[in-house]
Amino acid sequence: MKVGGIDSTAIDAMVAQLKAAAARSQPAINPLAGGASQVEKSATKVDFSQALKASLDNVASAQNHADQLGQKFTLGDDSVNLSDVMISMQKASISFQATVQVRNKVVSAYQEMMNMQV
């Protein structure tokens, strides 16, 4: 059966693939062996400052890559297409905007916590 020009069997197959991938990524929990403790043992602890630094490094590298491609295109390098330059610039812009939004949420949460009465 076709739904809006898309075959529903293709949709069902894709949903099944997504469910199988999700099942593979989740650790198995044995309720007899204390499932919560096994999940805690298998999960690696992530330091917030390290995660924040890694994401900021990713944003900085995306911006640097976009700048380098822009400079190469400006200098007339034939190996760089205008579309590649524009795509990398948009990726850098979106990642920077997302970082600014996260910063705004963190500052807002901090201000809200500071205004709480103890």
Side-chain angles (χ1 to χ4, degrees), residues 8-69:
S8 65
T9 57
I11 294 172
D12 293 337
M14 186 172 289
V15 169
Q17 287 177 351
L18 289 172
K19 286 181 180 178
R24 284 192 305 258
S25 67
Q26 294 178 350
I29 298 175
N30 185 356
L32 299 177
S37 63
Q38 287 207 351
V39 170
E40 289 173 6
K41 289 178 186 175
S42 67
T44 59
K45 295 195 178 205
V46 177
D47 188 22
F48 177 74
S49 63
Q50 291 175 350
L52 183 62
K53 182 172 177 10
S55 68
L56 291 176
D57 288 341
N58 287 340
V59 171
S61 68
Q63 290 177 336
N64 290 337
H65 179 69
D67 287 340
Q68 289 172 355
L69 283 179

Side-chain angles (χ1 to χ4, degrees), residues 75-105:
L75 293 175
D77 190 354
D78 291 336
S79 66
V80 179
N81 296 333
L82 178 61
S83 60
D84 293 338
V85 174
M86 296 305 293
I87 289 170
S88 66
M89 291 175 80
Q90 286 299 315
K91 284 181 182 179
S93 174
I94 289 170
S95 63
F96 180 72
Q97 289 173 2
T99 303
V100 168
Q101 292 300 319
V102 168
R103 183 212 52 186
N104 291 343
K105 289 290 183 180

